[in-house]
Amino acid sequence: SAYKNKSSVKNLFCAEMRITMKIGVLAVQGAFIEHEHMIEKIGHVVQRILSRLPHFWKEMYKFLITARGWIVICVVVFITIFICNNQKIAYSEDEKKRDEYYQQYGGRDYSGFTSLIEQRQNDVYEAQAKLDAAREQYERGELSEDDVSRYVYNLMDAERLLDNMSEYMQQIEYVSQIKEQYGIDAYVMSQRGYDQIFGSKGATRKLLIYIILGFGVVLIAETESSVEYKNGMNMLIGSSKKGRRWEHTVKAAAVCILVGVSAFLLYIIEMIIMYKAYGMPYINAPLISLTYMNTAKVFRNITISQYMLILMAEEILFAVAVGLETVFASRHIFKKNSGKGIPLIIVINTAILCIIM
């Protein structure tokens, strides 16, 4: 009887477990069905909205959603952030101190630097004069060797402080030459941060970002075209009322806008990271204030901020050019095999970038 009671309790428990599992399975199935219905409803709403929009926005939707271009953009943004953070340089305490001096005494009016340098030079002259007088007293027996040594150490300390001004003295000399040659009031300012941002020391970071941007642009511009060739939509598009050329023009415009906005976004992200890492002091100073920019005549009369806008436009134009190149190659060269042409386009673009940059 006790055994029977245990057996019946066990059977009852198993039955309850089976019922609970069935209810759970039905609940999950119901949730999936509801989820599918919800997605279907959202899809219908999106289609109704798209039907009222110009054809250009339909193409944008296909590039971003249907061809999953948004995933490519997110990946490119993530890699760009990683590259920028990985390429950052940590300055020494001495370099940070020097940059603080530039902030305190530099700029267009660098009279604070000239006064400081003159003071350091006067300190050296005074220390040398005191040492010479101490040596004469030592020869007369009025001072000991330890007394003379103190004057020697004072002179060495004054000379060390003056040597620390050598970088600023070179900058002042450069600014004076620019004023004499071109009549431009350049700024006495630190070169370190801007050299990392868009100078020679930031060339590797910039090349990598361009390569990643080109890779993303090729994927965005090619994927939607290859999908149309695979499902036969290209035949329907070719027989559209407004003609194949109009359809292709709208697609090319959508690609240009999408990749141009993506390039703009990448540039803004990069500059934000660079600003947090190095700062951008005297951003409205003449570009020629940076010694490594005293090259091209066209850049002599623009500011650093204007040059940064030029670099942004250059990055956007690069993205648009790669997008148009990919659209043309997919449409007229690779066609159905456009997927196989992606590696070739990427390799060609990367080789060109390595040569140019």
Side-chain angles (χ1 to χ4, degrees), residues 102 104-117 168 171-177 179 185-189:
Y102 277 116
Q104 185 176 356
Y105 300 109
R108 184 172 183 175
D109 179 13
Y110 50 89
S111 57
F113 261 136
T114 54
S115 299
L116 184 62
I117 292 170
Y168 311 122
Q171 281 293 115
I172 292 173
E173 183 180 358
Y174 169 77
V175 166
S176 300
Q177 291 175 354
K179 178 65 175 178
D185 292 319
Y187 284 34
V188 173
M189 56 186 293

Side-chain angles (χ1 to χ4, degrees), residues 144-327:
S144 65
E145 289 186 6
D146 292 338
D147 294 329
V148 176
S149 297
R150 282 198 298 271
Y151 287 105
V152 171
Y153 291 140
N154 290 338
L155 176 60
M156 292 174 61
D157 189 50
E159 288 177 340
R160 180 184 58 80
L161 292 175
L162 180 60
D163 287 339
N164 289 338
M165 296 285 105
S166 60
E167 179 182 323
Y168 311 122
M169 293 166 70
Q170 291 174 1
Q171 281 293 115
I172 292 173
E173 183 180 358
Y174 169 77
V175 166
S176 300
Q177 291 175 354
I178 295 301
K179 178 65 175 178
E180 184 179 345
Q181 291 179 7
Y182 310 119
I184 299 174
D185 292 319
Y187 284 34
V188 173
M189 56 186 293
S190 174
Q191 313 286 305
R192 274 177 284 275
Y194 286 113
D195 198 11
Q196 293 289 343
I197 294 173
F198 48 71
S200 59
K201 293 181 180 178
T204 302
R205 184 196 74 252
K206 205 65 185 174
L207 175 61
L208 291 174
I209 291 176
Y210 265 74
I211 291 173
I212 295 301
L213 175 61
F215 180 82
V217 169
V218 170
L219 288 180
I220 291 172
E222 190 279 335
T223 303
E224 198 263 342
S225 179
S226 64
V227 169
E228 288 183 350
Y229 269 100
K230 287 177 182 178
N231 60 23
M233 283 297 295
N234 63 303
M235 302 299 293
L236 293 174
I237 292 173
S239 60
S240 65
K241 182 179 178 181
K242 293 187 177 181
R244 180 177 299 178
R245 183 173 297 178
W246 179 82
E247 291 284 346
H248 290 170
T249 301
V250 173
K251 284 183 180 296
V255 168
C256 290
I257 297 297
L258 183 57
V259 301
V261 171
S262 300
F264 171 78
L265 177 64
L266 286 189
Y267 185 82
I268 295 299
I269 291 172
E270 179 191 2
M271 289 301 107
I272 290 174
I273 296 174
M274 293 298 101
Y275 174 77
K276 289 183 177 179
Y278 308 113
M280 295 179 181
Y282 304 120
I283 195 171
N284 291 317
L287 181 64
I288 203 170
S289 301
L290 305 175
T291 55
Y292 47 86
M293 296 306 300
N294 185 16
T295 52
K297 184 177 180 180
V298 68
F299 293 144
R300 286 176 188 166
N301 296 309
I302 66 173
T303 63
I304 295 174
S305 59
Q306 290 170 340
Y307 181 68
M308 293 172 70
L309 292 176
I310 292 173
L311 292 180
M312 181 180 68
E314 182 182 281
E315 191 163 327
I316 293 173
L317 287 174
F318 166 77
V320 171
V322 173
L324 292 176
E325 169 202 29
T326 306
V327 169

Side-chain angles (χ1 to χ4, degrees), residues 222 225-227 229-230 329-345:
E222 190 279 335
S225 179
S226 64
V227 169
Y229 269 100
K230 287 177 182 178
S330 299
R331 187 178 300 157
H332 300 288
I333 299 176
F334 301 114
K335 296 183 180 180
K336 292 182 180 180
N337 299 317
S338 59
K340 298 179 181 179
I342 288 180
L344 179 60
I345 297 174

